[in-house]
Amino acid sequence: MPIMPVLNTEFTKQNWNGDESLFNLPPRRVTPGRISLHILFWAFDSFEAYIALNRVLRVDPKTPPNPDLFWLMYLTHLGTTFILFYTYGYLVVPSLMKLLVNHRATNRIIWRRLLFVAVSSVAIFVAFNIYDYYLFTYATSHYLPAPAYMKRNNDVLLAAGPIGVLTGYTVLSFLWAYNVSYLMLPLLLRIIREAISWGVESVKQKGEIVKQQEEIVRQKEQNQALMRNQLQLLKTQINPHFLFNVFNSLLALVQRTNQEAASLLRKLSELLHYTLYDTDKEFAPLDGELQFLKNYVEIEKTRHFNPDRIRFSQSGDAQHFLVPPLLLVTFIENAFKHGLHNSFEEGWVEIDLSIKESNQTLHIAIANSLAKENESEVRVGGIGLENARNRLDLLFNPNDYKLTIQETPQAYRVLLTIPLKHSLSYEYQN
């Protein structure tokens, strides 16, 4: 028994519809400007038809046309023109444009739309042929004497019959001149406007595709950079852990002979311990951060001949509050760099930290002396300060924190207020 071939319905459906879903033009909005243009066109068409029919419907040049005949032909002409424009212009023309755009883009034809455009175009001429046949027959026999224009066209229509447009060129030319030619200009404008819309939409779609491709490339680069950073982080974590163990070994040896050096090593070990184990989260306990800053300041005091010029004060209870780790040390480090490292004898640094439990904020005031030879350097700032500003913008809303930098010829001051998170509420949210 021979095997019957199976019809590939999916292929047939695809060839019938094409990739039509890829070529949908967004609907245009109805605006006062569009309405005004349509009103202007119909006013012009009405005036043009009035002048033309008033001339051709005269029995002789000096006699006005029969009023009943004139208004019959005038109103039917406007009505058929109105129907033809909006049916053909807003149903057939968009289908034709979609057919052409699809064929241009995919080299395939939407047969359903091609059939619709062809049948609609033929149907319009057949419908006008039938309509004009009975209109002219009625008007010529009821409004006597009939104008020469009516007799001539009626003879053409009678000779060809109600569907003579399908068999003769003469009726086709008459229908084109009487019914269709008035609409050629607005229909051409409609086609041009539709083509422009398709072109604009095509450019938009290409732009969106380019953006999507750029976004894919950007995400790929970000992923690669993240992988590199993670590898680099794994590499760099080995050295701090090794250093931390070395500090503890040195501390055990030095503690027996030099208590001052042992105290310094202990603080340095606590600094390293904090950066290794307590700063891996977005927020860290405030008391741990303040202890880290105290240790840093104590280590700085050992490096200068006059530690009394370094003042560190703290007020308020730091328990149960969280703060972004290693955020404040950048400003303190900058103060030591420009306040003492460049002026050992006359330089000074003052650091005041105030915790306001009522509104859960931390106020920081950091001031340092300003050496004359380094004024421009401080004024410019540095990568650390710039990174600190960027980090503030990432961590807080612009209205939630306040950073003020004041500079005089003798001093450089940083005033910073940041919100604190309560440890209990933060743990509950996470």
Side-chain angles (χ1 to χ4, degrees), residues 129-195:
N129 190 173
I130 297 173
Y131 169 78
D132 289 343
Y133 177 86
Y134 289 104
L135 174 66
F136 276 81
T137 301
Y138 172 81
T140 304
S141 60
H142 282 75
Y143 298 102
L144 300 174
Y149 172 80
M150 297 292 296
K151 291 180 180 179
R152 183 170 61 252
N153 291 329
N154 185 54
D155 293 341
V156 172
L157 292 170
L158 286 176
I163 54 174
V165 68
L166 300 178
T167 59
Y169 174 76
T170 305
V171 176
L172 178 64
S173 62
F174 164 74
L175 296 176
W176 178 270
Y178 182 73
N179 299 106
V180 180
S181 61
Y182 291 93
L183 290 175
M184 285 310 301
L185 177 60
L187 283 178
L188 285 175
L189 292 177
R190 170 70 178 156
I191 293 174
I192 293 173
R193 179 63 183 84
E194 197 78 6

Side-chain angles (χ1 to χ4, degrees), residues 189-373:
L189 292 177
R190 170 70 178 156
I191 293 174
I192 293 173
R193 179 63 183 84
E194 197 78 6
I196 293 174
S197 299
W198 279 108
V200 172
E201 185 64 21
S202 176
V203 172
K204 288 182 179 179
Q205 291 180 357
K206 289 181 179 178
E208 292 177 356
I209 293 174
V210 171
K211 288 182 180 179
Q212 292 175 358
Q213 292 175 344
E214 292 177 348
E215 180 65 20
I216 292 174
V217 173
R218 187 183 66 83
Q219 290 180 355
K220 184 177 180 180
E221 293 176 349
Q222 285 182 346
N223 292 336
Q224 292 175 349
L226 180 60
M227 292 179 62
R228 289 194 299 267
N229 292 337
Q230 289 176 343
L231 290 173
Q232 185 65 27
L233 179 62
L234 292 174
K235 294 177 181 178
T236 55
Q237 281 181 342
I238 298 174
N239 292 332
H241 281 288
F242 174 74
L243 255 149
F244 180 65
N245 294 330
V246 171
F247 275 129
N248 288 334
S249 300
L250 288 174
L251 179 60
L253 293 174
V254 175
Q255 192 170 6
R256 303 172 186 173
T257 57
N258 192 330
Q259 292 295 327
E260 186 176 353
S263 176
L264 178 61
L265 279 176
R266 186 179 295 107
K267 290 181 174 61
L268 193 57
S269 177
E270 290 176 359
L271 286 180
L272 192 58
H273 182 279
Y274 180 77
T275 57
L276 279 176
Y277 301 112
D278 298 333
T279 61
D280 57 342
K281 295 184 179 180
E282 186 177 6
F283 291 90
L286 178 58
D287 51 359
E289 180 75 9
L290 295 182
Q291 185 60 46
F292 171 81
L293 297 178
K294 290 177 183 177
N295 289 336
Y296 180 84
V297 172
E298 290 299 322
I299 293 174
E300 285 288 350
K301 284 184 178 180
T302 62
R303 301 177 58 194
H304 301 283
F305 296 106
N306 192 355
D308 294 334
R309 289 182 173 273
I310 302 173
R311 185 175 65 84
F312 182 93
S313 65
Q314 172 192 334
S315 62
D317 187 4
Q319 292 185 349
H320 307 303
F321 287 114
L322 300 174
V323 70
L326 304 179
L327 177 64
L328 309 179
V329 69
T330 303
F331 299 101
I332 295 177
E333 181 186 15
N334 187 73
F336 279 103
K337 176 182 177 181
H338 300 289
L340 289 176
H341 294 179
N342 296 319
S343 180
F344 282 88
E345 296 181 356
E346 300 178 357
W348 53 268
V349 173
E350 295 180 354
I351 304 168
D352 295 307
L353 302 175
S354 176
I355 303 167
K356 304 295 184 182
E357 299 180 52
S358 58
N359 56 0
Q360 297 187 3
T361 56
L362 175 64
H363 299 272
I364 306 100
I366 304 172
N368 61 270
S369 59
L370 189 61
K372 293 182 179 180
E373 61 272 17

Side-chain angles (χ1 to χ4, degrees), residues 37-155:
L37 289 176
H38 282 250
I39 293 175
L40 183 63
F41 162 71
W42 288 115
F44 172 77
D45 183 78
S46 301
F47 176 76
E48 186 182 28
Y50 183 90
I51 297 299
L53 291 175
N54 186 63
R55 184 181 70 254
V56 299
L57 293 180
R58 293 172 181 262
V59 177
D60 61 78
K62 296 182 179 180
T63 305
N66 185 315
D68 295 333
L69 174 64
F70 174 82
W71 286 111
L72 172 66
M73 301 303 293
Y74 179 71
L75 294 178
T76 54
H77 173 78
L78 289 182
T80 54
T81 304
F82 184 88
I83 295 173
L84 174 62
F85 176 76
Y86 286 106
T87 54
Y88 201 87
Y90 286 84
L91 293 178
V92 182
V93 169
S95 296
L96 175 62
M97 294 303 301
K98 182 173 289 190
L99 173 68
L100 296 176
V101 171
N102 185 288
H103 182 265
R104 177 76 181 215
T106 64
N107 200 26
R108 295 169 59 185
I109 298 175
I110 307 177
W111 293 102
R112 179 173 62 85
R113 290 200 174 272
L114 178 61
L115 182 63
F116 173 73
V117 172
V119 171
S120 299
S121 301
V122 174
I124 285 174
F125 279 93
V126 173
F128 274 126
N129 190 173
I130 297 173
Y131 169 78
D132 289 343
Y133 177 86
Y134 289 104
L135 174 66
F136 276 81
T137 301
Y138 172 81
T140 304
S141 60
H142 282 75
Y143 298 102
L144 300 174
Y149 172 80
M150 297 292 296
K151 291 180 180 179
R152 183 170 61 252
N153 291 329
N154 185 54
D155 293 341

